């Protein structure tokens, strides 16, 4: 399996796992833990989808994109449209939420930072195992010239 295919596979696996974790945290948890954990996982899911679509994206670019999208959705809630649409369907409520909440912005950043850290660590580890240290350069011969 090539590098891009492997990256996409793990991004898809991360997306599916994140959806499962999000549903699990809502089913088991309650209150702030479920709410803010869900917020962080929302950005983790967006991050995984960014990497799935753009497997060559650097972790900082994927994290920035996921965070920007999450913040944009949260700020869009100030218009009142997501709340209106949430009343019409569960999918709109899951994707867009319904009401603006300032702490959500922080928890989206937590999710993006966690993804950046894990992705950066995985890339660094993969590079170290794929590219062993190059052999040392042979000693250089020095040539002395005499001026006549």
């Amino acid at each position: 399996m090539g590098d891009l295919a492997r990256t996409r596979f793990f991004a898809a696996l991360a997306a599916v796992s994140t959806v499962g974790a999000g549903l699990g945290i809502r089913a088991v948890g309650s209150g702030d833990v479920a709410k803010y954990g869900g917020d962080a996982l929302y950005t983790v899911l967006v991050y995984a989808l960014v990497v799935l679509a753009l497997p060559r994206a650097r972790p900082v670019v994927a994290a920035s994109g996921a965070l920007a999208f999450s913040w944009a959705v949260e700020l869009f809630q100030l218009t009142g449209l997501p709340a209106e649409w949430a009343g019409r369907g569960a999918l709109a409520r899951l994707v867009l939420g319904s009401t603006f909440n300032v702490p959500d912005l922080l928890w989206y950043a937590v999710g993006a930072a966690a993804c950046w850290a894990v992705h950066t660590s995985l890339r660094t580890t993969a590079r170290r195992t794929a590219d062993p240290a190059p052999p040392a350069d042979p000693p250089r011969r020095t040539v002395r010239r005499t001026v006549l």
Side-chain angles (χ1 to χ4, degrees):
M1 183 182 315
D3 287 344
L4 293 179
R6 186 176 312 120
T7 299
R8 281 194 167 117
F9 171 77
F10 284 113
L13 184 63
V16 171
S17 299
T18 301
V19 170
L23 293 173
I25 200 169
R26 290 287 184 164
V28 175
S30 63
D32 288 347
V33 171
K35 176 168 181 11
Y36 297 126
D39 290 341
L41 287 172
Y42 181 88
T43 303
V44 171
L45 175 61
V46 174
Y47 187 99
L49 295 175
V50 167
V51 174
L52 183 63
L54 304 167
R56 287 190 174 111
R58 293 176 306 156
V60 69
V61 172
S64 299
L67 182 58
F69 179 84
S70 299
W71 280 355
V73 168
E74 188 69 24
L75 293 172
F76 183 55
Q77 292 170 357
L78 290 169
T79 67
L81 290 174
E84 181 183 325
W85 297 339
R88 296 181 191 162
L91 184 59
R93 181 165 178 73
L94 287 172
V95 174
L96 299 175
S98 61
T99 55
F100 177 77
N101 186 20
V102 173
D104 290 353
L105 299 172
L106 169 70
W107 289 101
Y108 295 140
V110 168
C115 287
W116 170 83
V118 169
H119 193 181
T120 299
S121 175
L122 290 173
R123 282 176 53 138
T124 301
T125 302
R127 282 190 183 134
R128 283 185 187 150
T129 53
D131 298 330
D137 290 334
R140 294 184 181 205
R141 290 181 155 184
T142 55
V143 177
R144 294 186 183 175
R145 294 183 181 199
T146 55
V147 179
L148 296 174

